[in-house]
Amino acid sequence: MEEKIYYKSTRGGQNGISASEAILKGIAEDGGLFVPSRIPKIDLKLKELASMNYRELAYYVLSKFLVDFTEEELKNCVNNAYDNKFDTEEIAPMVKVGDSYFLELFHGPTLAFKDMALSILPYLLTTSSKKQGLGKEIVILTATSGDTGKAALEGFTNIPGIKIIVFYPEEGVSEIQKMQMITHKGNNTHVIGIKGNFDDAQSGVKRIFRDEEFLKTLEENNYVFSSANSINIGRLVPQVVYYFYAYLKLYSKGEIAEDESINVVVPTGNFGNILAAYYAKEMGLPINKLICASNDNKVLYDFISTGVYDKGREFYTTISPSMDILISSNLERLLYALSGEDSKMVKELMDSLDSNGSYKINDAMRSNLKDFFGGYASEEETKKAISDLYNKDKYIMDTHTAVAYSVNERYVKVSEDNTKAVVVSTASPYKFTYAVMNSIDNKYADYNDFQLVKEMSSLLNKEEPLAIKDINKREIVHKTVCNKEDMKKAVQEYLNF
Ligand SMILES: *Cc1c(COP(=O)(O)O)cnc(C)c1O
């Protein structure tokens, strides 16, 4: 019999942890990330999976990873998550435009792919809390580059036993993203702007998680932290599902033959989404290339091409802000896999990142990277991709999706690989209206984001999504802004101890 799956830290400090415990903890005590002791393999033929709807497939995939959840518990989580808060019964529709396939992951309540995982995480977390007999109030502490924040707020609002605190870079998110967060209602939510960029916010949160004295005080006050960031294994696993869904859709629509390989193209920031694709491939889904698309913050492109990860570089604020990241946290999980699960090596690399701002992987690890292709798109290339596709097919991509689309076009040219590719579409164009509409026509230069929602809706001849209708007229409820050094104090003030 196969050994039961448990979770362990990428840095070797913890082992034999159950899925529910890993979900509750978020991050391992040694600062590493929880990874499954092995990647489960699919035990049904893809043909048999093809008849499942999204919820059935989600249950199937999740049950392989979260083995200490009962069937009833897991089905309950899945059914509460993937319901009519998505605007389509398909949950993650596959759209063919010309010769391209887009997996649209933005049909949830906040119009970005973060909803795919953050609509289920609260249920996984409260179920885990019950299973572990936690008996404490959970405080979700999260840093966002724009989309996570609102999706987490949406998921966790008014869930009993949970409070949520979101830090966002004050100048680093789109106007619409900002309004989505600071107008968010809910008696257990707190949103704080940071004078700094996303990496400052993320590093600040990580520091708080590792501040032992602070954690003790927290516990004395009957609170415990957890994370909604993509380092939580409870975020990662639900993302594996839609790669299966995408593949099976292509198969059932007759676009690919049985067991034919596909490429996936993923606009990447923290490396969570593409890591989920890698896990899907390891489970046995026929994925050929994993195409990792970056914007001008091309630290991952450089890493994949040279084996050197170096965050010591200029940070650019781009029109695809959810990818403006220099420290891709989930890459640690890939390093763990590439090194043959060598936690000592991973720890050395991460220590080097901490102290020198960089690390270099060895040749063996580099050769294990061969399934990945790294590319990046400049701001001009991103805008051009949006306008070209709109002019050709009247389909409007958001800026993040356009980065992926542009990188794939380049990949096809240089590789002459004609494997069918799925472009992962991570946000609705309505979230980034200014950049998107001005890519299509510079006559929109003097409009603001909110006016452009209306203009986009008339270009597409469709009602704007309810999620952002009249968002500029909503009441601002979160006004706190703090220096990046004062994040701990802000948490303390909100929790009142
Ligand atoms: C978060 C986000 C990304 C990056 O995803 P990662 O999992 O962090 O790599 C890309 N696009 C959008 C719209 C996002 O919100």
Side-chain angles (χ1 to χ4, degrees):
M1 216 181 84
E2 275 191 317
E3 198 196 343
K4 212 170 144 177
I5 289 180
Y6 59 88
Y7 288 79
K8 52 186 176 173
S9 166
T10 47
R11 302 190 192 176
Q14 271 181 297
N15 207 334
I17 306 287
S18 65
S20 56
E21 204 179 339
I23 289 170
L24 266 186
K25 293 251 151 70
I27 188 166
E29 279 160 16
D30 59 0
L33 307 191
F34 287 116
V35 281
S37 51
R38 65 181 161 81
I39 308 276
K41 300 279 179 205
I42 41 178
D43 51 8
L44 289 175
K45 286 212 179 322
L46 291 168
K47 237 183 175 159
E48 297 171 270
L49 295 176
S51 63
M52 292 185 179
N53 67 25
Y54 197 88
R55 280 179 292 277
E56 290 163 339
L57 195 61
Y59 170 73
Y60 175 77
V61 172
L62 288 169
S63 69
K64 298 272 168 254
F65 283 95
L66 310 180
V67 295
D68 67 324
F69 284 63
T70 66
E71 180 174 345
E72 193 195 345
E73 286 169 340
L74 213 45
K75 284 195 168 156
N76 203 19
C77 293
V78 165
N79 294 336
N80 274 310
Y82 304 115
D83 61 7
N84 60 11
K85 58 174 130 349
F86 286 78
D87 69 10
T88 154
E89 176 59 28
E90 288 213 79
I91 309 294
M94 173 74 86
V95 178
K96 188 173 184 185
V97 181
D99 295 328
S100 306
Y101 302 98
F102 291 92
L103 176 65
E104 293 188 348
L105 301 179
F106 55 76
H107 289 270
T110 77
L111 312 181
F113 99 98
K114 303 291 193 294
D115 288 327
M116 301 304 297
L118 281 164
S119 54
I120 192 165
L121 183 67
Y123 298 102
L124 294 176
L125 207 57
T126 46
T127 308
S128 298
S129 169
K130 261 187 225 129
K131 294 174 79 66
Q132 297 284 327
L134 186 67
K136 284 192 171 46
E137 184 155 17
I138 298 173
V139 180
I140 299 291
L141 200 58
T142 226
T144 182
S145 56
D147 291 328
T148 299
K150 176 64 178 178
L153 289 165
E154 198 63 52
F156 285 104
T157 291
N158 299 338
I159 298 246
I162 297 191
K163 280 191 164 61
I164 167 160
I165 305 175
V166 171
F167 290 101
Y168 70 95
E170 223 216 335
E171 305 288 333
V173 300
S174 84
E175 279 306 306
I176 289 178
Q177 287 178 314
K178 188 168 173 175
M179 283 306 280
Q180 279 186 310
M181 288 189 280
I182 64 180
T183 62
H184 188 90
K185 295 203 169 94
N187 55 22
N188 61 341
T189 65
H190 195 47
V191 179
I192 305 169
I194 292 291
K195 292 180 190 151
N197 61 34
F198 169 67
D199 287 315
D200 295 324
Q202 178 161 262
S203 304
V205 165
K206 280 190 184 167
R207 260 198 311 279
I208 296 175
F209 274 122
R210 293 170 74 174
D211 185 332
E212 303 218 348
E213 206 170 308
F214 192 56
L215 294 185
K216 237 177 85 193
T217 318
L218 198 73
E219 213 175 309
E220 285 161 11
N221 285 278
N222 212 32
Y223 288 118
V224 59
F225 279 140
S226 190
S227 154
N229 273 75
S230 62
I231 50 177
N232 193 314
I233 195 79
R235 273 231 4 225
L236 188 59
V237 174
Q239 295 180 357
V240 177
V241 177
Y242 49 73
Y243 288 101
F244 277 87
Y245 192 73
Y247 184 90
L248 297 168
K249 270 279 125 97
L250 288 182
Y251 169 71
S252 52
K253 287 183 180 173
E255 300 286 341
I256 55 171
E258 195 177 352
D259 296 327
E260 180 176 336
S261 288
I262 60 166
N263 291 340
V264 295
V265 194
V266 188
T268 298
N270 227 347
F271 210 76
N273 201 353
I274 195 165
L275 186 76
Y278 174 77
Y279 278 15
K281 179 176 164 68
E282 293 296 299
M283 288 180 82
L285 192 69
I287 294 177
N288 172 37
K289 278 279 181 223
L290 299 140
I291 299 173
C292 175
S294 302
N295 62 24
D296 278 330
N297 295 295
K298 58 185 180 57
V299 63
L300 287 166
Y301 162 77
D302 291 339
F303 170 69
I304 293 169
S305 6
T306 66
V308 175
Y309 193 97
D310 186 359
K311 68 165 180 161
R313 61 179 68 211
E314 195 177 336
F315 176 88
Y316 298 102
T317 299
T318 73
I319 55 173
S320 45
S322 300
M323 297 157 68
D324 289 346
I325 289 176
L326 294 181
I327 308 172
S328 301
S329 303
N330 266 297
L331 190 61
E332 181 168 344
R333 288 190 167 109
L334 183 68
L335 296 175
Y336 184 75
L338 296 177
S339 69
E341 312 208 330
D342 184 341
S343 51
K344 196 165 150 268
M345 167 104 73
V346 172
K347 186 168 175 356
E348 276 167 22
L349 296 174
M350 290 300 114
D351 286 347
S352 169
L353 184 64
D354 254 356
S355 44
N356 313 323
S358 68
Y359 61 78
K360 181 176 196 286
I361 59 172
N362 64 27
D363 290 346
M365 285 175 76
R366 263 194 89 178
S367 73
N368 289 340
L369 255 181
K370 64 180 185 318
D371 292 335
F372 286 83
F373 174 86
Y376 72 98
S378 67
E379 298 284 89
E380 283 316 308
E381 288 168 326
T382 306
K383 290 181 193 165
K384 186 169 180 307
I386 294 172
S387 72
D388 285 355
L389 191 68
Y390 174 72
N391 291 326
K392 189 160 76 73
D393 293 306
K394 298 287 169 280
Y395 181 77
I396 303 187
M397 293 182 281
D398 101 288
T399 46
H400 304 76
T401 309
V403 166
Y405 182 82
S406 172
V407 165
N408 189 49
E409 286 202 310
R410 173 117 37 90
Y411 169 75
V412 170
K413 247 186 229 148
V414 300
S415 68
E416 296 180 14
D417 175 2
N418 57 15
T419 307
K420 295 205 173 78
V422 170
V423 175
V424 177
S425 182
T426 50
S428 157
Y430 282 102
K431 266 193 120 152
F432 302 96
T433 43
Y434 189 84
V436 169
M437 292 299 276
N438 278 285
S439 303
I440 292 172
D441 195 327
N442 55 20
K443 76 178 181 197
Y444 298 115
D446 294 331
Y447 289 61
N448 68 33
D449 275 275
F450 307 111
Q451 294 165 322
L452 287 175
V453 168
K454 304 263 182 246
E455 297 295 321
M456 186 178 283
S457 153
S458 73
L459 268 195
L460 288 173
N461 215 354
K462 259 203 267 193
E463 279 282 311
E464 71 245 50
L466 276 178
I468 52 163
K469 198 171 160 68
D470 295 327
I471 188 150
N472 51 325
K473 297 183 189 135
R474 295 181 200 167
E475 182 197 354
I476 294 173
V477 286
H478 302 283
K479 294 178 183 153
T480 315
V481 175
C482 80
N483 290 317
K484 58 188 185 195
E485 298 79 23
D486 298 330
M487 290 168 62
K488 193 163 102 178
K489 213 170 90 197
V491 171
Q492 217 159 347
E493 274 168 14
Y494 174 60
L495 295 179
N496 216 348
F497 61 76

